[in-house]
Amino acid sequence: MVVSFTVDKSQCRGLKWVVKDPISVKLIGPILTRLPLTPFNPLTHPGLPRYRQVFVWLQQAILAAELKSGEQLPATRELAHQLNVSRNTVKSAFELLQAEGYIEARQGAGSFVIDLPAHLLRHAPVTHSDALAQSSLPGLNHRLDALQAFRIPETRAPQRLQPAVPALDAFPLQQWKRCLGQSVSRHQLQHTPLAGDGLLREELVMHLASRRGIQVDASQLLITSGSQQALHLVAELLLCPNDRVLVESPGYPGTAAVMRAAGAKVESISWQLLQQGLPTGLKAACLCVTPSRNFPLGHTLTLQARLALLNWAEQQDCWIIEDDFDCEFATGQPITALYALSREQRVIYTGTFSRTMFPALRLGYLVLPPALVPGMLKLRGYQDGGLTRLSQHALGKFMAEGYYSRHLKKMRQLYQQRREALITAIAASPLSELPVIDAGGGMHLVQALPSGRADQALCQRLNQEGIGARPLSAYDPLNQQQGLILGFSADTADQIDDAVSHLGLVYRQTLC
Ligand SMILES: Cc1ncc(COP(=O)(O)O)c(C=O)c1O
């Protein structure tokens, strides 16, 4: 039926009209151009440009079937008017909807929602408010569970007495800047070699030979993003699900977490047992140790124990991961690394620059037996394709110029002074009647607490008050020894004094 009549055009919104002449129009079947049920609210996505806000609003409405398949969208001019935005804004939103396949433009007729089967309309972009709680995710495996156990300090803001942080106030910034500047060149814009920057590896070869007795070819070195990534890469390369991995206790919890995340069955093994010698019947795919300086107690395995460990690993066909996290600050000359003693090359060595340079550098390394190199390079190739080159090359230069060894020498002296400042401050505090576990050197010491005292609760309170002490029990799953791991390297003597006074007060209030 065709109806002709005179009409006031302001009444026509939402209907499709064919204009014959200014007075008479023909209704060819009303098509309702509705707006989504959910009103447009620019405050829902305040950070987005306005056209994106309109896009998201319409996108959500289509995916939630508020605008149905085949439905016509309002004309851009009309919608702009209703939303109080410019017509170009709406046009851009429509263009994006069309480009992403939500609507189609029909010549001379307008824009229409694309035909989408109802069963596909369950999907909508996730917003913060409806993100799933992890516990409700189906079928998650032990890897995610294992990562729950990884304790990452709640705050990464600098704190007093924080372990594993070097003296950033004494870092030679000018020399570092120079090395960075000299490392910017067209040549350095190329891909990084998978194993890491050549200069850095060559410098490391010399450094490891002179400081750790490790004599290897540069091809056996892999530069990593800290020793944390080094551990992860080794676990990925060598472990099968449910492999047994032995991890020393006390020890660095990040090691056990990485191994668990790789699907291994992790068992703690006491430092005392490592010292006595592991039983011949004990089988494992991998053993993780800090033989030169236990973390966090600082003990060194005797030569007999180190050699016995190598024999055991060779008999059991077991890999040893030697984590050499702060050997540079041991008192006297550092001992020969286990890696250098392993005839059958069962040892994988990892070291880090987080402590000798600065934590934000995120550079560490692996020294691999030659047999593992090709596999590891392939793994690296598909995992991250190599690390950022600039900082690696700058570090290579820093070492080649002799800045690194000079810096280490200065830090050894400085840390010795800061260590003494901490011991003096503790001796004058309410903690003085308790023993200090101090193997000498290093960047932290351990203040023992009476057994049964809640070192974790004490540390929580201290951390809230800006003191970065770590609870010893969290590093000792086997014996739950009680104590505070107190760093001294990052703070001046005055700062150490103040922090220990405060620590003494909190200790009295919490534990006495
Ligand atoms: C014993 C030990 N190994 C490895 C790491 C990881 O260090 P990074 O990834 O910074 O090199 C740490 C960090 O504190 C550690 O204490």
Side-chain angles (χ1 to χ4, degrees):
M1 185 183 70
V2 173
V3 192
S4 281
F5 53 98
T6 308
V7 68
D8 171 0
K9 273 180 122 189
S10 66
Q11 295 168 355
C12 306
R13 262 194 28 214
L15 298 180
K16 184 151 176 87
W17 303 92
V18 177
V19 180
K20 279 271 193 198
D21 59 61
I23 307 297
S24 126
V25 289
K26 217 186 261 177
L27 179 66
I28 56 163
I31 301 172
L32 205 59
T33 52
R34 294 186 300 110
L35 295 181
L37 299 174
T38 315
F40 177 68
N41 178 5
L43 296 177
T44 318
H45 306 285
L48 292 182
R50 200 41 72 93
Y51 83 93
R52 274 250 160 218
Q53 296 179 347
V54 176
F55 164 79
V56 172
W57 176 60
L58 291 171
Q59 179 199 38
Q60 300 274 4
I62 293 169
L63 289 173
E66 282 186 17
L67 290 176
K68 304 256 183 298
S69 290
E71 197 167 329
Q72 186 180 18
L73 263 60
T76 50
R77 188 190 304 278
E78 183 190 339
L79 188 56
H81 177 73
Q82 293 208 16
L83 302 182
N84 201 17
V85 298
S86 77
R87 189 170 173 208
N88 275 346
T89 299
V90 175
K91 275 186 173 169
S92 301
F94 275 31
E95 275 163 23
L96 200 53
L97 285 166
Q98 193 177 344
E100 292 201 13
Y102 292 94
I103 63 170
E104 61 182 355
R106 292 183 201 152
Q107 191 77 38
S111 298
F112 295 81
V113 176
I114 211 91
D115 220 359
L116 282 170
H119 72 279
L120 295 181
L121 291 176
R122 296 171 299 117
H123 305 288
V126 175
T127 60
H128 291 301
S129 53
D130 57 17
L132 288 174
Q134 189 185 300
S135 54
S136 68
L137 293 178
L140 281 175
N141 60 19
H142 49 86
R143 290 195 177 211
L144 196 74
D145 294 342
L147 290 169
Q148 299 309 309
F150 199 124
R151 293 166 56 93
I152 295 187
E154 273 157 36
T155 166
R156 292 209 140 195
Q159 295 188 310
R160 294 275 167 257
L161 305 181
Q162 196 173 333
V165 183
L168 301 180
D169 56 328
F171 183 75
L173 217 47
Q174 288 311 322
Q175 293 168 356
W176 177 241
K177 277 186 188 166
R178 203 170 309 143
C179 294
L180 275 172
Q182 288 168 358
S183 301
V184 179
S185 70
R186 245 168 239 294
H187 174 68
Q188 296 298 328
L189 303 181
Q190 301 278 348
H191 281 296
T192 321
L194 284 178
D197 180 78
L199 175 64
L200 176 55
R201 282 185 293 135
E202 290 299 342
E203 287 300 320
L204 255 175
V205 164
M206 287 187 279
H207 183 78
L208 289 169
S210 72
R211 296 287 298 166
R212 309 298 287 118
I214 295 177
Q215 302 211 4
V216 285
D217 188 77
S219 63
Q220 288 171 254
L221 295 186
L222 184 91
I223 307 300
T224 59
S225 167
S227 40
Q228 194 63 48
Q229 191 196 35
L231 294 168
H232 170 72
L233 287 169
V234 174
E236 282 278 298
L237 187 72
L238 297 181
L239 296 182
C240 297
N242 293 323
D243 269 356
R244 187 187 208 183
V245 171
L246 304 177
V247 174
E248 67 186 335
S249 178
Y252 168 59
T255 307
V258 162
M259 299 298 148
R260 281 204 185 94
K265 287 213 161 92
V266 174
E267 281 173 39
S268 297
I269 194 121
S270 77
W271 177 258
Q272 288 76 7
L273 193 57
L274 288 170
Q275 183 57 46
Q276 284 159 21
L278 296 179
T280 343
L282 185 63
K283 297 239 173 278
C286 185
L287 166 72
C288 306
V289 273
T290 52
S292 303
R293 271 179 78 77
N294 166 259
F295 185 85
L297 296 182
H299 304 325
T300 303
L301 280 183
T302 61
L303 177 62
Q304 284 90 328
R306 278 179 279 139
L307 294 175
L309 210 55
L310 287 175
N311 279 354
W312 173 86
E314 285 163 12
Q315 283 159 11
Q316 306 304 325
D317 233 5
C318 171
W319 293 102
I320 296 183
I321 302 180
E322 176 180 20
D323 183 355
D324 211 10
F325 62 101
D326 79 346
C327 63
E328 291 298 348
F329 304 120
T331 38
Q333 284 291 323
I335 58 169
T336 304
L338 206 57
Y339 183 100
L341 301 174
S342 172
R343 247 186 345 251
E344 291 197 17
Q345 306 218 304
R346 302 299 303 178
V347 181
I348 297 158
Y349 176 97
T350 176
T352 180
F353 291 101
S354 293
R355 293 170 188 241
T356 52
M357 292 286 286
F358 51 93
L361 187 60
R362 295 306 306 143
L363 285 178
Y365 50 93
L366 276 168
V367 187
L368 295 164
L372 294 184
V373 172
M376 186 58 94
L377 288 182
K378 285 187 185 149
L379 182 65
R380 159 49 56 83
Y382 81 67
Q383 274 215 346
D384 60 15
L387 300 178
T388 318
R389 189 163 198 180
L390 178 64
S391 49
Q392 289 186 61
H393 196 75
L395 179 55
K397 278 205 176 293
F398 195 79
M399 295 174 90
E401 296 289 338
Y403 299 146
Y404 186 64
S405 50
R406 250 173 278 155
H407 176 56
L408 287 182
K409 195 167 168 206
K410 276 193 189 155
M411 290 309 100
R412 277 179 217 117
Q413 284 165 3
L414 183 65
Y415 294 169
Q416 186 63 22
Q417 291 161 12
R418 293 186 170 182
R419 191 170 146 276
E420 276 159 23
L422 179 57
I423 290 175
T424 311
I426 290 175
S429 79
L431 297 157
S432 61
E433 70 257 24
L434 300 168
V436 167
I437 307 170
D438 177 23
M443 298 166 75
H444 66 260
L445 50 77
V446 178
Q447 168 66 68
L449 292 177
S451 57
R453 297 299 177 93
D455 61 355
Q456 308 221 8
L458 177 58
C459 283
Q460 212 172 9
R461 165 102 193 264
L462 288 168
N463 294 172
Q464 281 159 4
E465 300 190 17
I467 297 181
R470 301 281 182 258
L472 177 58
S473 64
Y475 294 73
D476 188 17
L478 219 47
N479 296 317
Q480 293 282 303
Q481 289 178 77
Q482 295 286 306
L484 300 177
I485 306 173
L486 302 174
F488 48 73
S489 43
D491 301 325
T492 64
D494 285 346
Q495 289 167 337
I496 289 174
D497 239 19
D498 287 349
V500 174
S501 304
H502 193 69
L503 166 58
L505 285 176
V506 177
Y507 169 73
R508 270 227 174 94
Q509 288 164 3
T510 319
L511 297 188
C512 287

